[in-house]
Amino acid sequence: MSSLSFVPHTVSSVSGHKRKHEKTHKKSSKRIKRSEGGRGNSTHAYTHSVSESHHVFLNLETRRFYCLPDDYEILDGSLEDITYLLNPTFSTPEILALDSYSKMVRAYNGLTYYPGVVGLNNIKANDYCNVILQMLSHISPLRNYFLDIKNFENLPSVSGDQMMLLVQRFSELIRKLWNPRNFKTHVSPHEFLQVSLFLSFSFLIFR
């Protein structure tokens, strides 16, 4: 097992569109997909494991590790750092102490940083959005709300409600920005931007 690869989950399409909007909706949905999910013989994950000899794969939905192409689950406690990186959690005392926390921490790559003061990847001219996200992440009441997933994990939502997905992705991004156990001194806003783009297209379709 020489390398770990991440297969990003896709944003599922919203059902119930009017027929005249189907073509436009399919086009917008296609733009935001990076790969098909799963690990079967016809998936990108399976092909990548064979062609690139990257055999350890992580399902981002279930956070379970698999070895491909043999397709067996890997149970190893040393992988906990990776699953925590994907889903950092904060206790109430930890959240309340953030504004007075002044200790630098060391990322896995050896660089030091202050939690909350890390970079956001510029994926494709999205630096304007990164600035706003950085500002929002330092508004204490807003930050504290989204750092504690108990605040919204049980909110009622209807099937296919993509707005709840936006809430979840924003929370994930805020928690990654404030994660004291980051691998690097920058994080990717891809998942949040992906959902934002999808909802923007949906809004334009229904106008």
Side-chain angles (χ1 to χ4, degrees):
M1 295 183 291
S2 58
S3 181
L4 173 70
S5 294
F6 294 89
V7 178
H9 48 268
T10 61
V11 178
S12 59
S13 59
V14 179
S15 60
H17 286 264
K18 295 181 180 179
R19 183 172 298 275
K20 66 179 181 179
H21 296 310
E22 285 181 354
K23 184 176 181 181
T24 305
H25 175 67
K26 288 179 180 178
K27 183 177 180 181
S28 64
S29 297
K30 185 177 180 180
R31 288 178 180 174
I32 63 173
K33 288 186 178 182
R34 288 172 56 186
S35 71
E36 294 300 326
R39 58 184 190 277
N41 293 358
S42 61
T43 63
H44 171 75
Y46 183 94
T47 303
H48 185 77
S49 71
V50 175
S51 62
E52 301 296 332
S53 294
H54 292 174
H55 301 300
V56 182
F57 283 78
L58 171 60
N59 184 307
L60 297 183
E61 292 287 349
T62 64
R63 297 185 176 88
R64 297 167 71 175
F65 292 87
Y66 297 90
C67 181
L68 297 181
D70 299 324
D71 195 23
Y72 62 84
E73 185 175 0
I74 302 171
L75 302 175
D76 190 330
S78 65
L79 298 173
E80 187 272 337
D81 282 345
I82 297 174
T83 54
Y84 184 84
L85 178 71
L86 293 172
N87 187 40
T89 56
F90 293 81
S91 65
T92 299
E94 288 173 336
I95 294 173
L96 295 177
L98 285 178
D99 287 329
S100 59
Y101 191 86
S102 59
K103 181 181 178 181
M104 297 191 77
V105 295
R106 188 174 299 277
Y108 184 79
N109 64 2
L111 299 177
T112 56
Y113 68 98
Y114 290 103
V117 188
V118 295
L120 284 169
N121 294 346
N122 189 8
I123 299 172
K124 190 175 181 181
N126 61 290
D127 47 336
Y128 66 95
C129 185
N130 288 350
V131 172
I132 297 173
L133 291 172
Q134 290 279 15
M135 293 174 60
L136 292 175
S137 72
H138 284 268
I139 300 175
S140 296
L142 182 69
R143 175 203 64 197
N144 294 352
Y145 179 85
F146 283 99
L147 285 178
D148 189 350
I149 60 176
K150 295 191 298 293
N151 287 327
F152 53 84
E153 64 179 354
N154 294 321
L155 290 178
S157 62
V158 298
S159 178
D161 183 5
Q162 299 297 313
M163 292 304 296
M164 181 54 67
L165 185 59
L166 181 66
V167 170
Q168 294 169 351
R169 294 293 178 261
F170 183 73
S171 171
E172 289 174 3
L173 180 59
I174 297 298
R175 286 182 281 127
K176 289 177 181 179
L177 285 170
W178 286 90
N179 182 10
R181 296 166 55 184
N182 274 326
F183 280 20
K184 300 178 180 180
T185 54
H186 55 86
V187 300
S188 174
H190 168 76
E191 287 81 6
F192 173 78
L193 295 177
Q194 186 182 46
V195 176
S196 299
L197 178 63
F198 178 80
L199 291 175
S200 296
F201 277 119
S202 299
F203 175 76
L204 291 174
I205 290 171
F206 282 111
R207 286 187 63 180

